[in-house]
Amino acid sequence: MRHRLGTPGGTLQPPMGSSPLLLLWTADPKVVRSVETVAGEHGLTARRTDTAHPADTPAVVVVDLDAPGAHDALTDMRSRWPEALVAGHLGLPDRDRWLAAERAGCDLVANRGALAAALRKRLAAGAPRRGRRVPLFALADAAGRLGCVHREPGGRGVSPRQGRREPSKAGGLVDEPLAVYHVGSRFSACADRCPHAGATLSEGELESGVVTCPRHGSQFDVSTGQRLRGPADHDIATYPTVEDGGQLYLLVPD
């Protein structure tokens, strides 16, 4: 079930105006107060919400990583708003959960008491864009198709499947082959080479968002890159995408 957050006195309605939105997907009163102060300092409109799908596109999202369903909501937010700055807070230091949050798309993770200071520092430095848009394919081409719907060669144009040089739409800025999977209503782009022995992952079976390496059976979550079963020792990289104007775009570094 998706976590739903209650707000004392009801959900705050967005004020009139065009200030960038800072979305608070948290009910922690200490975090809310401190982050609302940071938002005011940087000209952002802070809005608390009880849904992960507000009508407006946020510039910044703050997520309570201790909340039930936070991981699923975070993954969905990252897919829905790939260019937003996403900050998550934890009640206690936990390295595994910290790394899991970063894999799921957090740009910034901090303990609840340190979040406001960390967010203030990031905003003062100027939150970087997550990347420029590179078109991959028309969404109509993937209509009615599930599983792997697109393969993209690496930055050097080498296709592990065919062993020859091919042009890369990503302009040489993605240095490994990647695959795009259509799972449910979401597209996920991730590395297409198994870190164990280099097999092409998209040639393996996909079930419930988990791809199995066709060579030795390692398993990975295609939305987060998390290794779920060996013999591979490492996660695989994931890449943010955005849907716009009937196209799927890959976001690559500027």
Side-chain angles (χ1 to χ4, degrees):
M1 294 180 62
R2 188 176 300 283
H3 176 58
R4 299 182 67 83
L5 293 169
T7 302
T11 301
L12 294 183
Q13 297 300 315
M16 297 298 291
S18 57
S19 298
L21 174 65
L22 184 152
L23 179 65
L24 287 158
W25 202 83
T26 176
D28 186 304
K30 180 178 180 179
V31 171
V32 168
R33 287 193 300 269
S34 60
V35 170
E36 284 180 339
T37 298
V38 174
E41 295 170 357
H42 291 273
L44 300 168
T45 297
R47 186 195 305 170
R48 286 172 281 181
T49 182
D50 61 358
T51 174
H53 307 295
D56 300 326
T57 298
V60 181
V61 184
V62 175
V63 181
D64 181 356
L65 298 174
D66 291 321
H71 184 275
D72 289 342
L74 174 59
T75 301
D76 188 59
M77 291 174 186
R78 184 76 283 165
S79 175
R80 184 174 295 268
W81 306 309
E83 295 183 84
L85 172 66
V86 179
H89 65 87
L90 290 166
L92 296 172
D94 187 319
R95 182 177 181 276
D96 290 340
R97 294 180 61 207
W98 192 297
L99 293 176
E102 290 182 335
R103 284 195 300 265
C106 266
D107 300 294
L108 170 67
V109 182
N111 296 335
R112 61 189 291 269
L115 178 68
L119 183 59
R120 180 180 287 111
K121 181 178 179 181
R122 173 65 70 90
L123 292 174
R129 286 173 51 87
R130 291 183 64 85
R132 65 180 178 85
R133 297 182 178 191
V134 176
L136 290 179
F137 59 85
L139 294 175
D141 294 341
R145 298 168 56 200
L146 296 176
C148 181
V149 295
H150 182 80
R151 294 182 178 90
E152 186 71 19
R156 290 179 292 276
V158 178
S159 167
R161 192 175 183 186
Q162 298 175 336
R164 60 183 177 85
R165 298 185 65 82
E166 297 180 6
S168 172
K169 297 186 185 71
L173 296 178
V174 176
D175 61 3
E176 64 180 338
L178 64 87
V180 179
Y181 297 89
H182 190 195
V183 181
S185 60
R186 180 183 302 156
F187 290 97
S188 298
C190 60
D192 198 25
R193 182 175 292 155
C194 182
H196 174 242
T200 301
L201 292 174
S202 60
E203 294 179 347
E205 294 184 0
L206 181 76
E207 184 175 355
S208 300
V210 175
V211 66
T212 299
C213 177
R215 188 174 299 174
H216 299 113
S218 296
Q219 292 186 330
F220 306 89
D221 185 317
V222 298
S223 66
T224 67
Q226 182 178 6
R227 181 194 71 92
L228 302 176
R229 187 177 74 186
D233 294 324
H234 306 292
D235 298 336
I236 57 174
T238 57
Y239 299 91
T241 61
V242 62
E243 300 174 34
D244 188 28
Q247 293 279 330
L248 186 77
Y249 295 86
L250 181 73
L251 295 181
V252 295
D254 287 320

